[in-house]
Amino acid sequence: LHNELLPGVLDKAAFGPSEFGLVHSIHQIYGSSKAGQLLTVMGRLFTAWMQRRGFTCGMQDLMITAEANRERRKWLEKANAHSMLAA
């Protein structure tokens, strides 16, 4: 086999369900079996990447602190006052 390293970007448009995307092109050239294998391999690759580079978000990360809640209330009251002036 002759391999060639090509520069470029593989983004959502290339992987996603676009007309000339990677999966569509593989399906057209090599058939559904190879396109299915490609999707499996890409799924494993992206899962491994997320496990190494991804992040977690626990309930504690989502809880708003009392100080942040006070600040949020100030902004909401200020926005409410401005909306009453505009009306």
Side-chain angles (χ1 to χ4, degrees):
L1 291 175
H2 298 289
N3 296 316
E4 185 177 349
L5 179 63
L6 300 172
V9 176
L10 289 175
D11 59 2
K12 182 180 176 182
F15 290 119
S18 58
E19 187 176 354
F20 297 106
L22 185 61
V23 177
H24 177 80
S25 297
I26 294 298
H27 183 271
Q28 291 294 319
I29 296 169
Y30 299 107
S32 60
S33 178
K34 293 297 181 187
Q37 288 177 347
L38 175 64
L39 288 170
T40 299
V41 169
M42 287 191 324
R44 290 179 183 168
L45 173 67
F46 297 148
T47 299
W49 184 85
M50 285 299 292
Q51 288 174 340
R52 289 176 179 79
R53 302 279 183 177
F55 61 92
T56 60
C57 184
M59 287 304 294
Q60 189 64 29
D61 298 323
L62 302 174
M63 301 294 288
I64 189 167
T65 63
E67 181 181 341
N69 197 32
R70 284 190 294 272
E71 186 69 24
R72 182 184 66 87
R73 285 187 188 273
K74 284 183 202 175
W75 280 99
L76 289 173
E77 289 170 2
K78 187 176 179 180
N80 190 36
H82 283 292
S83 67
M84 290 301 206
L85 291 174

